[in-house]
């Protein structure tokens, strides 16, 4: 593999500029071409990066033999067609979240990438933050103990989406983090949601995920909140974690708190005594490297080393399957929906 990976970026709206900026600064990567159907956005890109090639036709990127990889930052409804075309053109692919609009589409992309021995990576950006990677280490090394629950709140006022509901927009972040952090996979979900704008998708939703071993996860997402909240609680048998993404420092705090169960008689649950443990709190040092830079470096390294990304197509598929089941559950007023093709343990 050559020393420098040439990249084409499709979409220069909200997230595209961040991708172009980071890949332009990453050693071993070069942004060759940016595509967008809006000429004014391309003009901004070319003003900032004078040597950049721009085009309103994404097919120019796919036909360019000098481009090795494609980053897709477009509406979710376009992800499948663009990613499939890029893979069929022999390009490695980084696609924004959520990966596709259906699990069938996600599986098709996975198969195409595997058949062509190409890297398929999903832009689950939060997985690459120093905070989430630190929590992963704490859970993997059993500092937290057995996981009891995962509880997250992600709310703010807007930005309303017209093509997907609030779960597909906001919950995808928490689902991707949960998929990375927890050592188990959910086997069923229940979701409720409501829309307060006529003929528009749900803007408030509650999602509960059920696991083996008495583990439960609950996600609350809302486009109609007066304040912005980005907080996750993870409770374990030994310690508990609070992750607040809006904290300027000390985003992750570990609490040496919990309960201990003591029984004077194995024959009677009424003899069970619950003790409360309240120890110290500490905030670990976190890597403050911008997540998208860490992610970009990982993408380039996976291409060069023919490695499997942390947020590969399979991770994207697991998230899409949960979103599909949650959407089905909402339509049936919270009915429990089992997840197909799920292995209970990771």
């Amino acid at each position: 593999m050559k020393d420098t990976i040439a990249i084409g970026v499709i979409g220069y709206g909200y997230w595209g500029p961040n991708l172009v900026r980071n890949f332009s600064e990453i050693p071993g990567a070069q942004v060759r071409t940016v595509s967008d159907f809006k000429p004014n956005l391309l003009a901004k890109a070319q003003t900032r990066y004078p040597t950049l090639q721009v085009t309103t036709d994404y097919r120019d990127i796919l036909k360019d033999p000098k481009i090795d990889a494609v980053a897709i930052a477009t509406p979710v409804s376009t992800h499948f067609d663009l990613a499939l075309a890029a893979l069929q053109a022999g390009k490695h692919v980084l696609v924004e979240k959520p990966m596709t609009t259906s699990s069938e589409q996600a599986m098709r992309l996975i198969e195409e990438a595997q058949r062509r021995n190409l890297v398929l990576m999903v832009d689950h950006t939060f997985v690459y933050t120093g905070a989430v990677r630190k929590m992963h280490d704490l859970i993997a090394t059993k500092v937290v103990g057995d996981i009891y629950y995962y509880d997250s709140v992600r709310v703010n006022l807007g930005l309303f989406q017209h093509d997907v509901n609030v779960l597909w927009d906001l919950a995808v972040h928490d689902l991707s983090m949960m998929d990375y952090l927890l050592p188990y996979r959910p086997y069923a979900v229940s979701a409720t949601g409501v829309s307060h704008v006529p003929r528009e998708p749900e803007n408030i939703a509650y999602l509960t995920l059920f696991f083996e071993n008495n583990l439960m996860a609950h996600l609350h997402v809302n486009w109609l909140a007066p304040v912005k909240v980005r907080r996750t609680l993870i409770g374990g048998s030994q310690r508990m974690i609070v992750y607040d993404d809006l904290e300027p420092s000390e985003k992750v705090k570990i609490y040496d708190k919990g309960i201990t169960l003591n029984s004077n008689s194995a024959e009677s649950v009424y003899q069970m005594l619950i003790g409360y443990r309240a120890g110290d709190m500490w905030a670990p040092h976190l890597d403050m490297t911008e997540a998208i830079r860490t992610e970009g470096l990982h993408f380039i390294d996976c291409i060069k080393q023919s490695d499997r990304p942390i947020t590969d197509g399979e991770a994207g598929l697991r998230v899409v399957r949960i979103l599909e089941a949650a959407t089905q559950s909402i339509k049936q007023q919270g009915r429990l929906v089992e997840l197909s093709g799920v292995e209970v343990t990771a």
Side-chain angles (χ1 to χ4, degrees), residues 58-120:
Y58 73 91
R59 289 169 293 190
D60 292 337
I61 289 177
L62 304 187
K63 291 184 292 186
D64 187 344
K66 294 183 178 180
I67 291 179
D68 306 294
V70 175
I72 298 170
T74 58
V76 61
S77 60
T78 66
H79 287 183
F80 173 72
D81 290 336
L82 291 174
L84 182 62
L87 291 170
Q88 290 175 337
K91 315 295 186 186
H92 303 281
V93 169
L94 171 65
V95 59
E96 224 202 319
K97 59 81 188 171
M99 179 181 178
T100 54
T101 59
S102 73
S103 56
E104 288 80 11
Q105 291 179 343
M107 288 186 288
R108 177 71 179 87
L109 294 183
I110 292 169
E111 292 168 357
E112 190 70 25
Q114 289 176 342
R115 189 170 67 85
R116 296 177 180 272
N117 197 29
L118 294 168
V119 172
L120 173 61

Side-chain angles (χ1 to χ4, degrees), residues 282-336:
W282 76 93
H285 174 74
L286 303 177
D287 181 359
M288 299 307 292
T289 304
E290 188 179 7
I292 192 173
R293 178 178 176 85
T294 301
E295 181 182 45
L297 286 167
H298 183 54
F299 182 54
I300 297 301
D301 188 59
C302 286
I303 293 173
K304 291 184 175 181
Q305 304 299 326
S306 297
D307 284 342
R308 186 172 181 173
I310 296 172
T311 55
D312 61 0
E314 296 287 347
L317 171 61
R318 289 192 295 269
V319 170
V320 170
R321 276 179 169 155
I322 292 173
L323 292 170
E324 279 183 323
T327 301
Q328 182 182 347
S329 181
I330 286 177
K331 292 179 180 178
Q332 299 176 358
Q333 297 182 320
R335 186 181 70 83
L336 193 70

Side-chain angles (χ1 to χ4, degrees), residues 12 80 105 109 117 161 184 210 214 311 344 346:
Y12 199 74
F80 173 72
Q105 291 179 343
L109 294 183
N117 197 29
Q161 303 292 327
Y184 306 102
F210 299 89
N214 289 328
T311 55
V344 173

Side-chain angles (χ1 to χ4, degrees), residues 167 175 178 185-192 206-211 216-219 318-330 332-340 342:
L167 283 173
L175 292 173
M178 187 185 70
R185 307 287 183 226
Y187 66 83
V189 304
S190 172
T192 55
Y206 298 86
L207 172 60
T208 303
L209 301 101
F210 299 89
F211 300 74
M216 177 180 285
H218 185 262
L219 281 60
R318 289 192 295 269
V319 170
V320 170
R321 276 179 169 155
I322 292 173
L323 292 170
E324 279 183 323
T327 301
Q328 182 182 347
S329 181
I330 286 177
Q332 299 176 358
Q333 297 182 320
R335 186 181 70 83
L336 193 70
V337 176
E338 293 188 359
L339 294 165
S340 60
V342 173

